[in-house]
Amino acid sequence: MAIDDKTRTELEAAAFRRLVEHLKTRTDVQNIDLMNLAGFCRNCLSNWLKEAADAQGAPLSKDESREAVYGMPYETWKSKYQGTATPEQLETMKKVHPHGH
């Protein structure tokens, strides 16, 4: 099935929005777990959104891109949901991302 560029963009945007909404409901899933298992996290998604906005010349700040992904200001999300990484999580992060994230 051939999909035109406009339809592909709309489908990709819908999939991105669904992923973001899913992550908003899964506050139990820590960013470090996402990084260790999938190689990206909510911060990565917000950075990619910001980079896409910058490439299009669209006005979007880092705080706005994070709020779009987290569903609230980043600092609020951190204080409500972000736990302290365990030694095991940190060790896995070092193995998976030896040059940092």
Side-chain angles (χ1 to χ4, degrees):
M1 175 171 114
I3 298 176
D4 62 86
D5 288 343
K6 181 181 183 299
T7 301
R8 181 183 318 282
T9 298
E10 290 169 354
L11 295 173
E12 290 168 349
F16 175 80
R17 287 190 297 269
R18 187 167 179 182
L19 172 62
V20 167
E21 288 307 311
H22 178 74
L23 289 174
K24 286 178 186 176
T25 66
R26 291 301 312 268
T27 56
D28 59 309
V29 178
Q30 296 293 301
N31 279 333
I32 194 165
D33 294 324
L34 287 170
M35 284 300 301
N36 288 346
L37 293 172
F40 75 97
C41 67
R42 292 171 183 88
N43 287 335
C44 296
L45 288 175
S46 69
N47 291 340
W48 298 338
L49 183 60
K50 170 82 171 94
E51 290 169 10
D54 290 348
Q56 293 289 327
L60 184 69
S61 71
K62 183 175 181 175
D63 288 339
E64 290 169 331
S65 69
R66 282 189 169 182
E67 190 163 340
V69 170
Y70 283 92
M72 64 187 71
Y74 178 58
E75 293 303 321
T76 301
W77 192 92
K78 279 178 42 178
S79 68
K80 288 178 79 169
Y81 302 113
Q82 185 168 306
T84 302
T86 66
E88 293 82 13
Q89 288 171 316
L90 293 172
E91 186 60 35
T92 299
M93 183 78 165
K94 285 180 191 174
K95 289 178 185 172
V96 174
H97 302 283
H99 304 292
H101 166 47

